[in-house]
Amino acid sequence: MQARGSLRILCALCCALVARSAHAQIAQSDYAARRTALVTSLPTDGVLLALGAREPRDNHLAFWQSQDFRYLTGFDEPDAALVMIRRGGEVRGLLFVPPRDPAMEVWTGARLGVEGASARTGLEGRDARTLDTTLDSILSSIGRGTLYAVGDFGDATGPQTPDDQLLAQLRARHPSLSVRDATASVLRLRSVKSAAEQELLRTAAAISAAAHRDVLGSIGPGRNEYEVEALAEFTFRRQGADGPAYPSIVGSGPNSTTLHYNRNDRFMQDGELLLMDMAASYGAYTADITRTVPVNGRFTEDQRAVYEIVLEALVHAEGQVRAGAPWKQPSDSATAVIQRGLARLGLIEAPNATYGCGSEERPQRCPQVALYYMHSLSHGIGLDVHDPDVSAQTGMMTPGSAFTIEPGIYVRAGTVEIIPATRENAAFRARIAPAVRRYANIGVRIEDDYLITDAGVERISAGAPREVEEVERAMATRRRSAVRDTAMARARGSLRPDGATR
Ligand code: GLY
Ligand code: MN
Ligand code: MN
């Protein structure tokens, strides 16, 4: 086991307000290097076609660029396509974009158009309306060639996406063309985060941590989960983030034990826990932070017992993080801590105990720990909140890696009902029932974000309090200042006595 202090943590600065002006940028030379790396990694000469996201047609949905396309071009407007031609050591890149249309810009706002896109990216710009004819002419000239495609492709059983249809038409017009999906090659490149990407992740995590601190004064019995969600997302935008990186999870009491809860509309009650999985996207890069706090500002003895197991699992896991170590090690270590803790609380029979989880026809054994800890410890972060990560891909922790560590214990009131009511399981069900009643509705997850760089390991979400005393102190301080603000507002006459605005 690694002592906590042995981890080389270069903590992000926990400043109260992370002042941001314009987004830090990925340099155009970085995008060019990514395109070159992709095209040269392809097994043969041929044509790479990467399709950007399309303009949403209905309901004024916000445009969000395809992450693979953004990764290759940095171009953030709809209906674009990248074509790269690799032939005999020569590489040529074309960016197809809709031409400017002043009448449409009344609705959409200014667009870059062909010249603007070319100036912005350094790629040869083309009118998107000529994509088909240009591809036809390139593909005809290379004869029996290979088209490597990157886009939004459905699976064979689902409905065809517009990108599927475009490829089907190309295949029909060029029957001897071999078409290969090159998405995996882009994901491999995306799994290693450059210095500029790491910087965007640091900012996303610092803003997210600031939001986790900001909400602490507004948590209390009678407050609603949606107030916390709204306040966190206010901080995200106020500090220059794109917005929430994923739908915020703000779950109190029983909701803290539902992994994908996001209705966020329950009034919190005294004596409950509040689990908050909320983080910002900044410059399109996403953090992913969870904190669990007591609604009334003080952990009960039982809540604290569960919380401390999860925290110990997290600390043990992060103690295993170092370049060159096996990727699986932190997960094994966290699971062992949780198993021991659950056995101590009487929620499982023994650390490695199993139970019969199959049917009579297909008997199967499941680890008892999975009744309370049923997700993986970690995933990559980056452009997507679940991003490809080099350490997970190679099985060895590697510089350029960006990932979460997020152990949890979720005691649902109905845990015993998950266990099949067979004769074999009867004793197990009876044995854990009192502990399940005791710890029911305690759901705890603590999730932090990490980078492995050449300089060591950074916990970039360190600005969000996570130690028991730190959480309780921060809640008390924030609530005192919230009460003071309310009293001052009331004295100014801008608040009604019930706290509502006039
Ligand atoms: N917030 C999504 C996750 O933790 O994976
Ligand atoms: Mn996560
Ligand atoms: Mn999360």
Side-chain angles (χ1 to χ4, degrees):
M1 187 191 94
Q2 289 275 312
R4 195 173 312 184
S6 72
L7 175 68
R8 189 155 174 216
I9 300 172
L10 313 168
C11 292
L13 285 178
C14 308
C15 51
L17 182 76
V18 189
R20 308 285 150 200
S21 49
H23 279 169
Q25 298 278 329
I26 307 280
Q28 287 306 327
S29 54
D30 283 0
Y31 289 114
R34 293 169 180 181
R35 291 190 292 270
T36 305
L38 174 62
V39 172
T40 51
S41 76
L42 298 174
T44 64
D45 277 2
V47 177
L48 173 95
L49 170 65
L51 297 163
R54 290 156 200 264
E55 180 94 85
R57 298 278 166 230
D58 301 322
N59 297 324
H60 303 285
L61 290 176
F63 170 74
W64 188 251
Q65 185 58 281
S66 134
Q67 299 293 39
D68 289 333
F69 192 79
R70 184 194 302 279
Y71 182 81
L72 292 172
T73 64
F75 188 70
D76 199 15
E77 293 184 8
D79 302 319
L82 170 72
V83 173
M84 306 281 295
I85 306 132
R86 186 183 112 187
R87 204 176 337 196
E90 300 263 305
V91 175
R92 181 173 169 209
L94 307 172
L95 182 63
F96 291 79
V97 305
R100 289 197 62 185
D101 177 347
M104 276 311 290
E105 288 183 5
V106 174
W107 299 88
T108 62
R111 292 274 161 88
L112 284 170
V114 177
E115 290 78 23
S118 184
R120 172 74 58 90
T121 62
L123 283 156
E124 200 176 318
R126 292 291 179 91
D127 183 333
R129 292 170 301 188
T130 65
L131 176 65
D132 281 350
T133 50
T134 312
L135 277 174
D136 284 346
S137 120
I138 297 168
L139 294 173
S140 303
S141 77
I142 61 173
R144 291 177 63 84
T146 304
L147 178 80
Y148 296 95
V150 178
D152 174 21
F153 306 120
D155 60 37
T157 55
Q160 280 213 324
T161 65
D163 291 0
D164 287 322
Q165 285 162 15
L166 188 148
L167 280 195
Q169 288 158 6
L170 272 179
R171 278 197 181 97
R173 296 202 299 273
H174 302 273
S176 59
L177 187 70
S178 151
V179 179
R180 295 202 207 169
D181 188 344
T183 307
S185 304
V186 182
L187 295 182
R188 242 188 323 277
L189 292 173
R190 279 176 54 184
S191 73
V192 182
K193 273 57 182 189
S194 67
E197 290 177 294
Q198 288 166 5
E199 197 47 37
L200 290 168
L201 284 165
R202 282 186 192 98
T203 305
I207 292 174
S208 307
H212 274 270
R213 294 194 302 275
D214 285 351
V215 299
L216 290 178
S218 302
I219 294 166
R223 307 295 292 257
N224 199 291
E225 294 163 355
Y226 52 59
E227 295 180 63
V228 173
E229 174 186 22
L231 279 168
E233 295 179 9
F234 168 74
T235 296
F236 296 164
R237 286 298 280 162
R238 192 166 70 117
Q239 298 212 17
D242 311 321
Y246 50 86
S248 299
I249 296 172
V250 184
S252 57
N255 296 336
S256 66
T257 68
T258 301
L259 297 184
H260 289 170
Y261 174 76
N262 58 21
R263 292 178 66 95
N264 304 347
D265 61 359
R266 180 177 178 275
F267 288 93
M268 305 168 218
Q269 293 176 25
D270 198 11
E272 293 179 339
L273 285 181
L274 181 71
L275 183 152
M276 301 169 288
D277 188 343
M278 322 179 290
S281 160
Y282 179 82
Y285 281 77
T286 82
D288 186 5
I289 302 181
T290 307
R291 290 293 184 264
T292 307
V293 305
V295 164
N296 65 16
R298 303 282 295 188
F299 287 93
T300 65
E301 198 184 311
D302 289 347
Q303 289 167 349
R304 188 176 175 135
V306 176
Y307 189 91
E308 285 185 336
I309 297 167
V310 177
L311 183 58
E312 189 189 346
L314 174 60
V315 168
H316 272 238
E318 70 185 18
Q320 313 284 328
V321 176
R322 89 184 63 76
W327 174 241
K328 239 171 74 53
Q329 205 167 289
S331 176
D332 293 346
S333 160
T335 302
V337 171
I338 291 175
Q339 284 173 322
R340 282 197 301 273
L342 291 174
R344 211 167 50 237
L345 301 186
L347 286 161
I348 60 177
E349 293 173 307
N352 286 311
T354 60
Y355 69 100
C357 56
S359 57
E360 279 186 10
E361 306 81 61
R362 308 186 68 180
Q364 209 184 322
R365 306 293 307 169
C366 289
Q368 292 184 4
V369 63
L371 289 166
Y372 310 96
Y373 172 45
M374 60 297 280
H375 55 75
S376 50
L377 181 76
S378 180
H379 57 82
I381 49 172
L383 286 170
D384 285 316
V385 68
H386 289 182
D387 215 53
D389 176 52
V390 62
S391 301
Q393 286 180 1
T394 59
M396 189 180 81
M397 291 182 226
T398 307
S401 191
F403 56 91
T404 67
I405 300 183
E406 49 180 303
I409 293 177
Y410 314 90
V411 187
R412 290 182 74 78
T415 299
V416 173
E417 290 150 38
I418 299 171
I419 305 163
T422 57
R423 197 135 41 102
E424 173 207 6
N425 285 333
F428 170 47
R429 285 167 58 110
R431 203 167 293 141
I432 65 167
V436 169
R437 271 195 300 278
R438 175 170 178 176
Y439 296 100
N441 299 324
I442 295 183
V444 176
R445 177 164 66 257
I446 314 174
E447 176 174 28
D448 272 321
D449 299 342
Y450 304 80
L451 301 177
I452 305 179
T453 70
D454 291 330
V457 179
E458 284 179 56
R459 180 162 70 95
I460 57 175
S461 50
R466 72 174 191 186
E467 301 287 332
V468 166
E469 289 72 23
E470 198 188 1
V471 168
E472 291 184 342
R473 212 170 34 245
M475 286 187 82
T477 312
R478 298 255 163 187
R479 286 156 132 211
R480 267 199 301 279
S481 62
V483 168
R484 204 169 43 239
D485 289 351
T486 307
M488 282 165 62
R490 198 165 282 145
R492 278 200 310 272
S494 56
L495 277 187
R496 296 200 321 238
D498 61 2
T501 6
R502 283 220 169 117

